[in-house]
Amino acid sequence: MPRVPTYDNFQTSISQAPRAQFQAPSGPTGDAIAANNLSQTGQALSQAGGAMAKMALDAAAQANQVRVDEALNQLKERQLHLTYDKADGFQGLRGRSALDRPEGKSLEDEFAGKLSEDAARVAASLGNDEQRRLFTMHANGMVSSFRGQAMAHESTQFKEYHSSVAESTVATAQREIALRYDNPDAVSAAVSRISGNVYELARLQ
């Protein structure tokens, strides 16, 4: 009868399971994190330092401007004094007094020179070069404007003085005609002077 085959030797072998592979999550290392923190801190400090530096510069600029404004006020007071003071101002000078100055200078040269000397003294009292630079820039304009005012006054006084002399010449010639009516040559010369000065008066007007 047929025989059923049998297996008497059972053998088993343990197969190795697939090895699981694990990778650490990728990301910045500790050194990179520290470096990044330092960089951010440095940027923040730099920004703060820049803001503080700007504040310091603004404060310095403001302090300079206040000092310059004070100095300009001093110079303005001198300008007003040299313009309107009864004893020292050029506005009080009339006629020949405005034209024939003691030192032989023109009115504008004399008074603009005085204000320039005052400006130099005020500039020397300032605390730093920036203050002196700002002050001088404005002071030069003030002196120039002041010179123009003195020149205009001198021109006005010249016209008034010229008119006064012409009027005086006419009055003298008329008196001469009245006194020397019997001298034709004298009368003719007086009439000629009158005509010339009347013309000058009309031109000045």
Side-chain angles (χ1 to χ4, degrees), residues 38-61:
L38 286 175
S39 175
Q40 291 178 351
T41 302
Q43 291 177 0
L45 290 174
S46 177
Q47 292 174 355
M52 292 179 65
K54 185 178 183 303
M55 290 174 61
L57 288 174
D58 289 345

Side-chain angles (χ1 to χ4, degrees), residues 41-121:
T41 302
Q43 291 177 0
L45 290 174
S46 177
Q47 292 174 355
M52 292 179 65
K54 185 178 183 303
M55 290 174 61
L57 288 174
D58 289 345
Q62 186 176 21
N64 284 337
Q65 189 60 57
V66 170
R67 183 65 184 90
V68 169
D69 289 344
E70 180 187 29
L72 289 172
N73 287 339
Q74 294 175 18
L75 187 61
K76 187 64 178 179
E77 287 294 334
R78 283 297 299 161
Q79 179 184 355
L80 293 174
H81 179 83
L82 291 173
T83 303
Y84 299 107
D85 184 78
K86 292 182 179 180
D88 299 328
F90 69 76
Q91 287 284 359
L93 299 173
R94 290 287 183 267
R96 187 171 178 178
S97 296
L99 305 175
D100 294 338
R101 303 304 302 148
E103 297 181 2
K105 296 180 179 179
S106 65
L107 188 73
E108 65 268 19
D109 284 343
E110 177 186 350
F111 280 83
K114 290 180 179 180
L115 190 62
S116 293
E117 291 174 359
D118 292 329
R121 282 193 293 269

Side-chain angles (χ1 to χ4, degrees), residues 4-204:
V4 178
T6 63
Y7 294 93
D8 298 326
N9 295 323
F10 294 97
Q11 295 180 355
T12 61
S13 63
I14 300 174
S15 63
Q16 294 183 350
R19 297 175 64 182
Q21 297 181 352
F22 296 96
Q23 293 182 350
S26 61
T29 63
D31 289 343
I33 293 173
N36 185 53
N37 288 340
L38 286 175
S39 175
Q40 291 178 351
T41 302
Q43 291 177 0
L45 290 174
S46 177
Q47 292 174 355
M52 292 179 65
K54 185 178 183 303
M55 290 174 61
L57 288 174
D58 289 345
Q62 186 176 21
N64 284 337
Q65 189 60 57
V66 170
R67 183 65 184 90
V68 169
D69 289 344
E70 180 187 29
L72 289 172
N73 287 339
Q74 294 175 18
L75 187 61
K76 187 64 178 179
E77 287 294 334
R78 283 297 299 161
Q79 179 184 355
L80 293 174
H81 179 83
L82 291 173
T83 303
Y84 299 107
D85 184 78
K86 292 182 179 180
D88 299 328
F90 69 76
Q91 287 284 359
L93 299 173
R94 290 287 183 267
R96 187 171 178 178
S97 296
L99 305 175
D100 294 338
R101 303 304 302 148
E103 297 181 2
K105 296 180 179 179
S106 65
L107 188 73
E108 65 268 19
D109 284 343
E110 177 186 350
F111 280 83
K114 290 180 179 180
L115 190 62
S116 293
E117 291 174 359
D118 292 329
R121 282 193 293 269
V122 174
S125 71
L126 293 172
N128 58 53
D129 290 340
E130 179 62 12
Q131 291 177 6
R132 281 184 284 273
R133 183 188 71 81
L134 292 171
F135 171 78
T136 300
M137 179 177 64
H138 293 288
N140 287 342
M142 290 176 63
V143 172
S144 178
S145 175
F146 181 69
R147 176 183 289 276
Q149 294 171 10
M151 187 181 299
H153 180 74
E154 184 179 26
S155 177
T156 298
Q157 293 311 305
F158 174 75
K159 289 181 180 179
E160 291 185 5
Y161 175 65
H162 194 171
S163 296
S164 175
V165 171
E167 289 171 355
S168 177
T169 300
V170 169
T172 300
Q174 289 173 337
R175 186 165 180 266
E176 184 176 11
I177 291 172
L179 294 174
R180 303 183 67 183
Y181 63 88
D182 57 346
N183 186 329
D185 291 338
V187 170
S188 177
V191 169
S192 179
R193 290 199 305 275
I194 290 173
S195 297
N197 283 276
V198 167
Y199 170 81
E200 278 298 306
L201 286 170
R203 186 181 65 81
L204 290 171

